Amino acid sequence: MALQRGQRILRFPDGFLWGTASSSFQCEGGNTNSQWHRWEESGHILTGETSGDACNWWQEAERDFALAEQMENNALRLSIEWSRVEPAEGSWESAAIDRYRAMLTDLRRRHIKPLVTLHHFTDPLWFADRGGFAKVENIRYFVRYVSYVVEQLQDLCDFWITINEPNIYAVLGYLLGSYPPGEHDLLRAMRVLRNLMQAHVEAFYAISRLQPQSQIGYCLHYRLFDPASPLLPLDRAAASLQDTFFNWATMQAGEIGTFPFPLNLLFAPVKHAAGARDFHGVNYYTRDMVRFDAARPAEMFGRRFALPGAPRNDPGLADNFGEIYPPGLYRVLKSVYQRTRGNKPLYITENGFSDTLDDRRPSAILEHLAMVHRAIREGIPVRGYLHWTLVDNFEWLEGWNVRFGLIELDQYTQKRTPRISASMFGEICRANAITETIVTRYAPEAMESIFGVAQQESSRLSV
Ligand code: BGC
């Protein structure tokens, strides 16, 4: 790409991974054998919809992989649907593996590195009906499935994400009740979280044995919780409790095997956790302001809301993602780095915005990437950025009502229309950089926040 003399630029390291992230249930269509299908069938999606054909990836994911190739993405994160691979306990569906082999082969042909998630919220019905991850003895089923998939696909993939967001799966499914199985039980949520972390560790060792040179990790959902009034001790306490419980308790259990006090008194340690990952997967979307509220014990006595007047995501029906808060990504990267003493590289395995009109996404992407660049400049080893998501896909809480795609999808006709953000993301990936030209073209209003972040240290190019 031609750069003008003296143009400001935020250049990313050579080999940086650029791409998008997605999951099987949200994209493939025709997934009728998991607990999420039972959940949507019983009317739990806020719009009343069901995922149906979703983005039809089971038939033609390749059409969207071609769009990723046009954006010069060099990575793409997708997940394997356990309920397709092992539709009944111990019975393996080779046709499903064939389809995944075709997808991964297609990606590699396009010079797109597949990053494969082995569990992204969905469980086969048979597994859910045996108590799922609430029962420690069920972990072996997960590890057996993981081993089978890795044996079958290791010639096509060497980057595995064992479990997506154990904290979301446990908290939304077992404490807040908005994901299946819809429970409201703190102790069970914690037990599930502990078992998921143990499942990760056991999967890590199983994969390492089969494919020693592969990269294996899990990703957590990090959310910022800031006190509504920093001067009020109760607001501070509620925010800090939410932060510890949601973000760092899980991370600590994954790092050293024990939950922080007092959770460590109630839950067994995660055995052999230390060292059981090759990278930290960071999913970051938003921050909440937290006001003390004695009536909300399940939410650690905090009422959460988006900072009034701040740029925000489309609220949709669930209003789950409020503020668009770029500094949060830097804060999360820095905390993960510091709390893990910089022991492993970091990948942003998800970051995205619900913005149907695509009028905030371009600046939001640029401003978040400027924060990633800042982290890298400070020596934090961030190795890749995967945007959530490539094509509008079926959202867990509210179906088609909120839109996270770089590419718009008409779910009725399956017609794709790239949003402006897709052109911009393509230019960034091609340049491996954010340039003034890109900012001028797509979000001139963000110029100062982007290059201001870099202050005087951003390199001035002479070409
Ligand atoms: C999940 C995605 C989801 C996104 C937006 C993340 O927590 O991993 O599957 O689509 O949030 O809701």
Side-chain angles (χ1 to χ4, degrees):
M1 184 172 107
L3 289 166
Q4 287 158 7
R5 185 180 293 277
Q7 155 153 217
R8 285 181 294 180
I9 179 166
L10 301 182
R11 192 182 287 290
F12 286 78
D14 288 347
F16 195 76
L17 292 187
W18 292 105
T20 56
S22 57
S23 88
S24 51
F25 186 78
Q26 294 176 274
C27 292
E28 287 176 357
N31 271 321
T32 55
N33 200 23
S34 76
Q35 97 287 26
W36 263 96
H37 181 63
R38 186 158 60 193
W39 184 253
E40 62 178 5
E41 281 281 292
S42 50
H44 282 97
I45 310 298
L46 293 174
T47 52
E49 293 165 307
T50 55
S51 54
D53 290 339
C55 316
N56 208 23
W57 276 24
W58 199 245
Q59 310 303 330
E60 43 184 346
E62 290 79 351
R63 159 169 62 172
D64 291 332
F65 297 169
L67 297 172
E69 183 184 16
Q70 279 166 27
M71 286 193 283
E72 288 192 38
N73 289 185
N74 58 10
L76 187 140
R77 176 179 168 218
L78 50 69
S79 77
I80 304 280
E81 182 62 37
W82 182 4
S83 63
R84 280 191 194 275
V85 172
E86 191 181 4
E89 198 256 290
S91 104
W92 307 99
E93 182 60 57
S94 62
I97 292 291
D98 291 346
R99 178 66 188 120
Y100 287 120
R101 287 193 68 80
M103 287 190 202
L104 300 187
T105 304
D106 185 76
L107 285 171
R108 289 164 61 99
R109 193 173 60 75
R110 300 178 192 277
H111 306 289
I112 298 176
K113 180 181 176 70
L115 315 184
V116 173
T117 313
L118 292 152
H119 184 277
H120 195 126
F121 297 161
T122 48
D123 299 319
L125 280 172
W126 63 264
F127 179 79
D129 290 342
R130 283 171 192 228
F133 286 105
K135 292 209 172 130
V136 69
E137 60 270 29
N138 289 344
I139 292 175
R140 66 198 157 106
Y141 295 119
F142 177 66
V143 180
R144 184 177 64 177
Y145 146 75
V146 165
S147 303
Y148 176 77
V149 170
V150 173
E151 275 164 11
Q152 300 292 319
L153 300 179
Q154 59 179 300
D155 56 320
L156 298 173
C157 172
D158 63 3
F159 194 110
W160 303 101
I161 294 167
T162 53
I163 301 181
N164 180 67
E165 301 183 341
N167 50 347
I168 289 281
Y169 178 99
V171 170
L172 270 57
Y174 291 83
L175 177 63
L176 302 180
S178 49
Y179 279 20
E183 296 186 12
H184 298 269
D185 182 336
L186 177 62
L187 290 183
R188 256 167 80 80
M190 287 307 299
R191 192 170 313 129
V192 167
L193 191 54
R194 187 260 158 208
N195 289 344
L196 285 167
M197 298 311 288
Q198 189 66 58
H200 158 74
V201 169
E202 292 180 26
F204 172 87
Y205 287 112
I207 303 172
S208 306
R209 275 192 295 275
L210 290 165
Q211 196 184 8
Q213 78 288 7
S214 61
Q215 297 290 298
I216 312 156
Y218 59 90
C219 43
L220 282 185
H221 189 114
Y222 294 93
R223 195 164 176 128
L224 273 257
F225 300 98
D226 281 340
S229 302
L231 295 177
L232 291 182
L234 285 175
D235 284 6
R236 283 211 307 275
S240 151
L241 265 179
Q242 292 192 341
D243 184 40
T244 303
F245 172 73
F246 186 76
N247 296 316
W248 309 115
T250 319
M251 203 204 73
Q252 181 178 319
E255 281 299 293
I256 58 173
T258 50
F259 287 98
F261 178 80
L263 299 172
N264 60 340
L265 304 179
L266 293 169
F267 300 99
V270 178
K271 286 181 254 157
H272 312 298
R277 82 215 67 70
D278 297 313
F279 60 85
H280 300 288
V282 171
N283 294 359
Y284 168 75
Y285 287 84
T286 190
R287 86 157 158 185
D288 291 320
M289 308 310 293
V290 182
R291 174 75 73 206
F292 173 75
D293 184 345
R296 290 178 190 250
E299 293 181 60
M300 316 284 130
F301 303 102
R303 185 173 56 79
R304 299 181 284 119
F305 57 93
L307 183 70
R312 53 160 308 147
N313 289 277
D314 291 343
L317 296 167
D319 202 5
N320 194 32
F321 295 100
E323 185 179 358
I324 296 176
Y325 178 59
L329 182 51
Y330 168 77
R331 288 172 60 188
V332 164
L333 293 170
K334 193 164 175 174
S335 293
V336 172
Y337 179 71
Q338 288 175 337
R339 284 167 190 263
T340 58
R341 296 185 189 78
N343 62 5
K344 301 286 176 201
L346 281 66
Y347 290 86
I348 294 147
T349 34
E350 286 180 30
N351 170 237
F353 315 97
S354 70
D355 176 12
T356 304
L357 297 177
D358 203 41
D359 55 5
R360 283 143 290 155
R361 190 178 283 105
S363 62
I365 292 177
L366 288 166
E367 290 178 342
H368 281 74
L369 286 175
M371 290 294 162
V372 178
H373 195 267
R374 175 177 177 193
I376 294 173
R377 282 200 308 280
E378 292 180 11
I380 300 176
V382 186
R383 299 278 160 77
Y385 174 88
L386 303 173
H387 189 75
W388 186 275
T389 186
L390 180 57
V391 179
D392 286 339
N393 60 36
F394 192 77
E395 265 297 318
W396 305 101
L397 291 178
E398 50 187 309
W400 297 107
N401 194 41
V402 284
R403 303 287 176 148
F404 280 86
L406 294 172
I407 295 161
E408 183 186 321
L409 175 75
D410 178 332
Q411 71 272 26
Y412 302 109
T413 61
Q414 289 289 326
K415 180 169 185 283
R416 272 80 175 144
T417 311
R419 296 190 164 101
I420 293 292
S421 288
S423 325
M424 184 192 77
F425 194 58
E427 289 191 34
I428 296 170
C429 301
R430 222 163 283 139
N432 195 31
I434 298 176
T435 62
E436 264 184 280
T437 311
I438 293 176
V439 180
T440 306
R441 188 171 301 145
Y442 294 99
E445 72 283 3
M447 188 69 82
E448 275 329 296
S449 66
I450 287 160
F451 291 106
V453 161
Q455 292 164 344
Q456 302 316 319
E457 38 169 327
S458 70
S459 52
R460 289 207 162 254
L461 259 199
S462 359
V463 276

